[in-house]
Structures are given as C-alpha cells and as structure tokens.
C-alpha cells in the first residue's frame, strides 16, 4: 500500500487532478484497510483510462500571476479538520498547487478559508521574489476566494475580537494587502478551480475544473 501511495504521490507532480484523492489515501498509510486499497486501485484505474492527459503550457499565454484559494470546512470526518487547497497560475499556465489537511480544527468557515489564504499568500511572496530575479515585478497579485467573510476580514482595518484565534495569520495577510503585494478577490463557487483539491466532485464539475487547470489530451 505504501509503495502504491509513493508512486502516486510522485505522479501528482504532473497530474494535479489526482492530488486530492492520493493525499486522502495517504493519510491511512499507518493502518490501511481493504477499503483504502480498493480506492487506491480506483485511482490507478482512472489513470489507465486517461494515459494521455497532461499539463499543457501554451507559448502565447499571458504572463500575469494570479491564484486560487479554497478550504473544505470540517470535510475530513475522522477528526473534522479542514482541507486546504491552492493553485497558482502564470496566465493560463498552472505552475504550483497543493492540497493539505490543516494542522488544527477550524472553528468556522471563515477561519478555514483564512488559514488557506495565509498559506497561499506565503507561496505568492516566495514566487514574487523568484520572478523578480528574472525581471518580472508583480503588484497586487489576486488571491481568488469564494468566501466573502474571509475577504472582508482581510480588508477590515479594525482588529475584531473574532480574529483573536488567528491573530498572527490575520496580521500577515493584512500587512501584505496594505503593502499592495496581494489582494483578496471574490470568485463564485462555480468558478473556484481549487475545489478539485479540497473535496470530491461530481463527474461534470471534475471534468470542467480539470480542463481549467490546463490538463488536456497530449499525443
């Protein structure tokens, strides 16, 4: 089981569409059950039916940096921890992505989304510094989030009592917004690409977001 998970984790470097499923199965490596093995085999079966899918990087794509951030609040039923997911694009090209269970139990959807936005912000700051070495300077990189409360929290100059439990992360995001490094932008849930990294989806929605990630048939 561990060998299969290791092989799949290696593959997620070029197949982000299986990232959520693989990471979910990887949580049970210590004591896997038959049901877990069945799910891993389902992932292999999906890969067998889609061998030519790959990330496509078009030459004429624009070169603007934008990101998506989302969290599935309390979605992991074993310990009720939320799952964070982010992805970063240069134009239409997917260049970075991750799906991870949060370290602590979030007390609200806003907190879960805000924790994810903080992780996304840290990734953006690192990417901006790297791109600066190549002569590209980005200001107000958008973090597209589908939670209005998290967006309002980032823009609110008043330190509200409800932010005490996420104090440091609150100030980190707020500081970068005030500097003009990032901005939180609302995106409807139907257009939140990062859903593919945080929760199971129906076939139609999965196919739609997979295409928006840049995964297509490559011969």
């Amino acid at each position: 089981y561990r060998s299969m998970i290791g092989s799949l984790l290696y593959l997620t470097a070029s197949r982000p569409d299986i990232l959520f499923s693989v990471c979910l199965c990887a949580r049970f490596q210590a004591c896997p059950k038959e049901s877990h093995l069945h799910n891993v085999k389902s992932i292999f079966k999906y890969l067998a039916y889609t061998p030519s899918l790959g990330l496509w990087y078009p030459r004429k794509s624009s070169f603007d940096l934008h990101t998506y951030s989302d969290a599935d609040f309390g979605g992991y039923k074993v310990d009720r921890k939320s799952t964070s997911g982010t992805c970063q694009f240069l134009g239409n090209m997917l260049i970075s992505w991750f799906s991870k269970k949060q370290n602590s139990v979030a007390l609200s959807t806003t907190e879960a989304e805000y924790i994810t936005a903080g992780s996304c912000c840290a990734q953006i700051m690192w990417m901006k510094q790297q791109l600066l070495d190549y002569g590209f300077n980005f200001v107000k990189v958008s973090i597209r989030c589908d939670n209005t409360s998290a967006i309002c929290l980032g823009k609110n100059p008043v330190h509200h009592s409800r932010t005490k439990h996420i104090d440091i992360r609150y100030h980190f995001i707020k500081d970068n917004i005030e500097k003009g490094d990032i901005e939180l932008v609302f995106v409807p849930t139907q257009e939140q690409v990062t859903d593919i990294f945080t929760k199971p989806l129906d076939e139609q929605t999965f196919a739609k977001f997979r295409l928006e990630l840049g995964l297509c048939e490559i011969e």
Side-chain angles (χ1 to χ4, degrees), residues 179-193:
K179 288 179 181 176
D181 291 325
I182 65 162
E183 61 175 343
L184 294 174
V185 179
F186 176 76
V187 62
T189 304
Q190 297 80 7
E191 299 174 19
Q192 181 53 275
V193 181

Side-chain angles (χ1 to χ4, degrees), residues 31-81:
C31 186
K33 297 180 180 178
E34 189 175 346
S35 59
H36 302 136
L37 183 61
H38 176 74
N39 289 329
V40 170
K41 287 181 178 179
S42 297
I43 299 174
F44 277 108
K45 193 178 292 184
Y46 165 74
L47 292 170
Y49 280 108
T50 57
S52 57
L53 270 183
L55 286 170
W56 177 252
Y57 296 96
R59 182 188 304 175
K60 296 182 180 180
S61 173
S62 60
F63 213 72
D64 61 304
L65 180 63
H66 61 277
T67 70
Y68 290 86
S69 168
D70 191 35
D72 182 27
F73 174 55
Y76 188 50
K77 295 184 179 180
V78 176
D79 55 14
R80 282 303 178 185
K81 290 182 180 178

Side-chain angles (χ1 to χ4, degrees), residues 8-9 20 28 33 39 45 50-51 66-67 69 87 132 134-135 141-143 148 152 170 194 196 202:
L8 288 171
L9 284 171
F20 172 72
F28 301 96
K33 297 180 180 178
N39 289 329
K45 193 178 292 184
T50 57
H66 61 277
T67 70
S69 168
C87 57
L132 197 60
Y134 293 95
V141 178
S142 62
I143 298 179
T148 52
C152 292
Y170 166 78
T194 324
I196 200 171
D202 60 82

Side-chain angles (χ1 to χ4, degrees), residues 136-165:
F136 295 98
N137 186 22
F138 295 97
V139 293
K140 283 199 173 182
V141 178
S142 62
I143 298 179
R144 301 179 183 182
C145 174
D146 61 1
N147 186 275
T148 52
S149 297
I151 295 173
C152 292
L153 187 62
K155 295 178 179 179
N156 186 6
V158 180
H159 186 90
H160 199 279
S161 59
R162 72 179 62 183
T163 66
K164 284 182 179 178
H165 54 291

Side-chain angles (χ1 to χ4, degrees), residues 71-94:
D72 182 27
F73 174 55
Y76 188 50
K77 295 184 179 180
V78 176
D79 55 14
R80 282 303 178 185
K81 290 182 180 178
S82 305
T83 301
S84 298
T86 71
C87 57
Q88 288 76 33
F89 288 85
L90 270 178
N92 297 324
M93 302 176 291
L94 181 67

Side-chain angles (χ1 to χ4, degrees), residues 98-208:
F98 84 84
S99 175
K100 182 182 178 183
K101 185 174 71 169
Q102 293 182 1
N103 295 327
S104 57
V105 179
L107 301 178
S108 65
T109 307
T110 303
E111 181 184 349
E113 295 274 2
Y114 212 70
I115 288 171
T116 306
S119 300
C120 186
C121 180
Q123 178 71 2
I124 289 172
M125 300 309 295
W126 178 81
M127 291 174 69
K128 282 184 66 175
Q129 188 59 44
Q130 295 296 313
L131 289 166
L132 197 60
D133 295 339
Y134 293 95
F136 295 98
N137 186 22
F138 295 97
V139 293
K140 283 199 173 182
V141 178
S142 62
I143 298 179
R144 301 179 183 182
C145 174
D146 61 1
N147 186 275
T148 52
S149 297
I151 295 173
C152 292
L153 187 62
K155 295 178 179 179
N156 186 6
V158 180
H159 186 90
H160 199 279
S161 59
R162 72 179 62 183
T163 66
K164 284 182 179 178
H165 54 291
I166 47 173
D167 185 73
I168 295 175
R169 203 174 300 269
Y170 166 78
H171 283 289
F172 173 66
I173 295 178
K174 180 171 170 288
D175 186 48
N176 283 292
I177 290 175
E178 290 175 351
K179 288 179 181 176
D181 291 325
I182 65 162
E183 61 175 343
L184 294 174
V185 179
F186 176 76
V187 62
T189 304
Q190 297 80 7
E191 299 174 19
Q192 181 53 275
V193 181
T194 324
D195 270 356
I196 200 171
F197 298 134
T198 61
K199 58 178 74 72
L201 303 170
D202 60 82
E203 187 177 351
Q204 185 177 358
T205 307
F206 179 82
K208 173 191 171 186

